[in-house]
Amino acid sequence: MLKSVLAAGAAAILALSAFPAASRDRYAERPPVMISPDLSAPWVMQLRDNRSPMAAKRQRSQASGPSLFGTPAPQQVKRTRQKVSPFRTASVPAAKPRAVRAPQVDPKYLPQMVDYDGGRKPGTIVIDTRDNFLYLVQEGGKARRYGVGTGKPGFEWAGTHKITSKRVWPDWRPPAQMIARERAKGRHLPTHLAGGPENPLGARALYLGSTLYRIHGTNQPWTIGGAVSSGCIRMRNEDVVDLYERVGVGTTVVVM
């Protein structure tokens, strides 16, 4: 055992004696690494001169755009924001107005020349309240025929009268009986309405004898051809104007 202890001590002494030499060798100054000028010259030139062929090629490639073998060169794009006025409204195409189609008059009620053999002399007005036609008898077995609106059920009448008066855009004064009748239905009529486009007597009126009945125009032309009135004979405004010019006071009117 004593021998082993002595041997360990001897080994430790040897290790301590070798340590200073190893330390000095570790920190000793090394000779510089030498690089051949043939290898170092091109790299030093690149570092010193930015205008080297490689640098110029790199600058040209950046200026000309992305390379086929490299990543695209970043491009600075100057973006300008458009100023939008807070008062600017969006442009929306205007909606086309929808056409309102007025009620049409049956063509058979439009003025036309027809044959007539009723035996009345030319210049006489004959009104057929069953078929809603007014005839102005002409020479040679002809008559000028107009469509008309006639009295509603309960307001039909027949007789022969003379035209006693003619009016252009006549005023309307509803009879007292009509005012009372309409009031009972909850409708209040004016006692007087001046002539004009809104007047129910229309553009012209031909007054018949001493009766309350008239041949007159209307602002409701779509009612022509029906039983729609309180006994008066309605015509389209353009038709009553035409008839007005063709007949005079004293003309005989026959209502059948």
Side-chain angles (χ1 to χ4, degrees), residues 21-213:
S23 298
R24 286 192 301 271
D25 182 69
R26 180 178 180 181
Y27 293 104
E29 183 178 356
R30 302 291 183 180
V33 177
M34 301 299 294
I35 300 176
S36 172
D38 296 336
L39 297 177
S40 62
W43 297 101
V44 173
M45 289 178 63
Q46 291 183 39
L47 294 175
R48 291 181 179 178
D49 187 4
N50 290 331
R51 292 172 296 177
S52 65
M54 292 294 293
K57 184 177 180 180
R58 183 169 60 254
Q59 292 177 358
R60 286 195 301 269
S61 65
Q62 290 178 355
S64 61
S67 170
L68 293 176
F69 302 99
T71 58
Q75 297 181 359
Q76 294 183 354
V77 179
K78 186 177 180 181
R79 297 184 180 182
T80 58
R81 295 185 60 185
Q82 296 182 353
K83 294 184 179 180
V84 179
S85 170
F87 302 103
R88 182 180 179 182
T89 57
S91 177
V92 179
K96 295 182 179 179
R98 183 177 296 178
V100 178
R101 188 174 182 179
Q104 301 296 310
V105 177
D106 190 323
K108 73 178 182 179
Y109 294 117
L110 299 178
Q112 53 190 290
M113 295 299 295
V114 297
D115 294 329
Y116 177 75
D117 59 358
R120 302 291 178 174
K121 65 179 182 180
T124 303
I125 293 175
V126 179
I127 299 173
D128 181 353
T129 58
R130 183 183 63 181
D131 292 331
N132 295 317
F133 290 120
L134 181 151
Y135 298 88
L136 176 59
V137 181
Q138 308 284 296
E139 298 282 353
K142 297 290 185 180
R144 186 169 179 80
R145 189 183 78 182
Y146 306 85
V148 296
T150 55
K152 296 178 289 187
F155 293 92
E156 307 95 333
W157 64 279
T160 300
H161 298 279
K162 299 281 187 182
I163 294 177
T164 55
S165 180
K166 299 167 64 176
R167 295 285 187 274
V168 175
W169 293 108
D171 291 353
W172 182 43
R173 291 179 174 84
Q177 299 94 322
M178 180 184 290
I179 292 176
R181 186 170 59 246
E182 295 299 320
R183 184 186 297 118
K185 298 177 183 178
R187 182 185 177 196
H188 298 278
L189 298 181
T191 57
H192 172 260
L193 184 62
E198 300 301 322
N199 192 305
L201 295 185
R204 303 288 189 273
L206 307 172
Y207 294 81
L208 304 178
S210 60
T211 71
L212 298 175
Y213 302 124

Side-chain angles (χ1 to χ4, degrees), residues 174-250:
Q177 299 94 322
M178 180 184 290
I179 292 176
R181 186 170 59 246
E182 295 299 320
R183 184 186 297 118
K185 298 177 183 178
R187 182 185 177 196
H188 298 278
L189 298 181
T191 57
H192 172 260
L193 184 62
E198 300 301 322
N199 192 305
L201 295 185
R204 303 288 189 273
L206 307 172
Y207 294 81
L208 304 178
S210 60
T211 71
L212 298 175
Y213 302 124
R214 289 148 291 203
I215 301 171
H216 63 80
T218 180
N219 54 16
Q220 298 177 328
W222 56 88
T223 63
I224 299 303
V228 291
S229 74
S230 296
C232 288
I233 308 302
R234 293 184 185 180
M235 302 180 72
R236 296 190 314 157
N237 278 334
E238 49 266 60
D239 294 346
V240 77
V241 169
D242 181 72
L243 180 66
Y244 184 97
E245 300 297 331
R246 294 174 184 272
V247 301
V249 173

